[in-house]
Amino acid sequence: MITQVWEHLYIGSLNDAERLTADNPASITTVVSLCPEDVLPKAKGIKYEGIPIPDAQPISAAQFEEIMKTLAEQIRRGAVLACLRGRNKPFTDHGGGMDALQRHSRL
């Protein structure tokens, strides 16, 4: 299930990202996937960015910054953060994820 966590920011699973080919009620324009696997199939009109992070691995500070920068660049158009099993990696592994995203979106 895709869940809105902020204006134009949604989180969901790899399956949620793949289901966008059939239905896109939130008008998602970008999928930022942290899954090691590709999002397949891909929906027309949606940009796909991958930052593969194995599910059992913590996110490094450099990866976290890359995720925040990518989200900040895409946030005005709508974004999905897709993770295996819908686990919200950057926001649980690094408290203050929303603060970091707000800092990046002001750049």
Side-chain angles (χ1 to χ4, degrees):
M1 181 167 86
I2 295 175
T3 304
Q4 186 171 3
V5 294
W6 202 28
E7 186 177 357
H8 302 290
L9 178 62
Y10 302 83
I11 60 171
S13 68
L14 181 63
N15 289 336
D16 292 328
E18 291 170 343
R19 280 193 290 268
L20 291 173
T21 59
D23 189 27
N24 188 358
S27 300
I28 300 300
T29 59
T30 305
V31 171
V32 179
S33 175
L34 305 184
C35 300
E37 304 87 1
D38 269 346
V39 176
L40 295 173
K42 291 180 169 42
K44 289 183 180 182
I46 295 180
K47 179 179 180 178
Y48 291 85
E49 301 224 9
I51 305 170
I53 299 170
D55 211 35
Q57 298 294 317
I59 295 174
S60 71
Q63 289 169 319
F64 181 76
E65 287 299 315
E66 181 181 2
I67 293 163
M68 292 298 108
K69 181 180 176 196
T70 301
L71 288 175
E73 290 169 357
Q74 300 300 326
I75 197 82
R76 288 172 186 85
R77 295 189 268 162
V80 168
L81 182 59
C83 301
L84 288 177
R85 295 183 297 280
R87 196 172 121 217
N88 184 351
K89 292 179 187 182
F91 296 100
T92 58
D93 290 355
H94 291 274
M98 296 306 287
D99 291 336
L101 185 55
Q102 287 176 327
R103 274 195 318 277
H104 281 284
S105 65
R106 288 186 204 125
L107 299 178

